[in-house]
Each structure stands twice: as structure tokens, then as C-alpha cells.
């Protein structure tokens, strides 16, 4: 099996989230599975539910993370966040990296769904690659506004190396 590296930006974001062994996490936009692999490696009794609208993203995550699927720590589904149904009040964290939904268009329905399902004290962690620094203020402004309007308390984390920004919504 080919060993796949985990990009520094994904390592930084997952490190920042401080994944705990018993966390129940939703990953929105799992793509090639790097985030899922790193998150699942830190779980023991917790679970990751990873979703992507793309069939290829789901397939890539499943192939990359087969041992976590077999261990029952990971579930991967091809579905859009707007139509996702997860058990109420169960998530400790939500993770998304480069998911433009939260700042490009109205995501109020999706964020309302997350607010219902994230436990009090839990977080929605929206991370973006920040190699185009001129775009960062707009990303922060729009994603922060969307999270605030959905009832989250917002904080920002910014990294120069790797170039990434996080908009964190705490319930």
C-alpha cells in the first residue's frame, strides 16, 4: 500500500481542533481523506462521520481509511450537508477544510442543522487555505457572520506557516 502524506495545513487544522479519543465528529467535504485519516488515528471510542457531495471524494476516503472503516471508527457517505440527518445533540466537533459553502453562499439552513446537532460547548471548525492573503478578510467576514447568525460564538485563528485560517464557531 502506498503511504499517503498528510498536508501540513490539514495537520495544523486537526491539531488545532484538539481531537479527543471520545469525540464524535462530522467532517464536511472529506475529499481525498487526509483529514479523516488523521482524525481517526486520534479516536478510540469516538467516531468520525465524513461526508462529501462527490462520489470520487467518498471513494478516495474509503480507500485511504479502510482500517478505520473496518474498526467502526469511520462512516463515509456521499451526501450534501443540507440533506444530512444525524442524531440530535450528538456531535462534539464539526470539521471542514476549504468548503466554500460557508462563505460563498447562504448556508443558514446548513448551519442551523449543525447548531441543533452540536453539543453545548462543541465547535464548528471551518478552515481555509490562505495562500491568497487578499481573500482572507472576505472569508473571515462572511463565514463569521454566518456562524454568528446561526447562534455560534466566533473566534479566528490565523497561521502564516502553513498558510491557513480557521473560523471557529462555539456552541
Amino acid at each position: 500500500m502506498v503511504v499517503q502524506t498528510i498536508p501540513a495545513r490539514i495537520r495544523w487544522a486537526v491539531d488545532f481542533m484538539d481531537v479527543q479519543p471520545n469525540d464524535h465528529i462530522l467532517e464536511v467535504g472529506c475529499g481525498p481523506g487526509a483529514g479523516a485519516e488523521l482524525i481517526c488515528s486520534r479516536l478510540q471510542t469516538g467516531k468520525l462521520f465524513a461526508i462529501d457531495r462527490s462520489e470520487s471524494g467518498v471513494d478516495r476516503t474509503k480507500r485511504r481509511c479502510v482500517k478505520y472503516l473496518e474498526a467502526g471508527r469511520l462512516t463515509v457517505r456521499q451526501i450534501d450537508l443540507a440533506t444530512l440527518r444525524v442524531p440530535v445533540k450528538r456531535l462534539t466537533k464539526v470539521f471542514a477544510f476549504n468548503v466554500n459553502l460557508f462563505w460563498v453562499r447562504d448556508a443558514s439552513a446548513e448551519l442551523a442543522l449543525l447548531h441543533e446537532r452540536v453539543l453545548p460547548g462543541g465547535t464548528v471548525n471551518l478552515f481555509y487555505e490562505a495562500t491568497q492573503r487578499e481573500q482572507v478578510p472576505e472569508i473571515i467576514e462572511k463565514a463569521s457572520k454566518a456562524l454568528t447568525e446561526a447562534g455560534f460564538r466566533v473566534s479566528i485563528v490565523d497561521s502564516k506557516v502553513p498558510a491557513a485560517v480557521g473560523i471557529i464557531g462555539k456552541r
Side-chain angles (χ1 to χ4, degrees):
M1 180 178 187
V2 175
V3 175
Q4 299 179 58
T5 61
I6 297 175
R9 66 184 182 277
I10 301 295
R11 284 191 184 283
W12 173 80
V14 172
D15 285 348
F16 180 84
M17 277 197 333
D18 190 29
V19 174
Q20 297 300 304
N22 62 341
D23 274 337
H24 287 264
I25 301 171
L26 168 66
E27 181 179 7
V28 179
C30 57
E37 179 183 10
L38 191 55
I39 289 167
C40 286
S41 74
R42 298 174 183 195
L43 296 174
Q44 292 172 8
T45 58
K47 298 196 182 315
L48 174 65
F49 186 60
I51 64 170
D52 202 298
R53 295 182 313 172
S54 157
E55 182 179 354
S56 67
V58 167
D59 290 344
R60 290 168 68 194
T61 297
K62 285 180 176 180
R63 281 194 310 273
R64 183 175 187 147
C65 299
V66 70
K67 72 179 180 181
Y68 301 116
L69 285 164
E70 291 171 354
R73 278 190 251 166
L74 174 64
T75 302
V76 186
R77 295 282 182 267
Q78 181 183 355
I79 192 167
D80 187 85
L81 178 58
T83 57
L84 176 66
R85 297 296 166 247
V86 294
V88 175
K89 303 283 186 193
R90 188 171 157 238
L91 298 170
T92 52
K93 294 178 174 101
V94 175
F95 172 71
F97 204 105
N98 283 344
V99 176
N100 291 334
L101 159 70
F102 301 105
W103 74 276
V104 170
R105 69 172 183 81
D106 177 17
S108 56
E110 291 87 345
L111 287 169
L113 178 131
L114 293 178
H115 193 271
E116 286 178 13
R117 279 137 177 100
V118 171
L119 292 164
T123 55
V124 174
N125 302 271
L126 308 177
F127 295 101
Y128 296 92
E129 196 165 6
T131 50
Q132 296 179 322
R133 295 306 292 183
E134 70 279 359
Q135 205 173 30
V136 170
E138 182 181 10
I139 293 170
I140 291 172
E141 176 189 348
K142 290 181 175 179
S144 295
K145 183 176 189 272
L147 283 166
T148 301
E149 288 175 353
F152 293 95
R153 294 184 316 275
V154 175
S155 60
I156 308 300
V157 60
D158 194 357
S159 170
K160 303 300 185 225
V161 179
V165 64
I167 301 95
I168 314 305
K170 187 167 186 171
R171 185 167 186 289

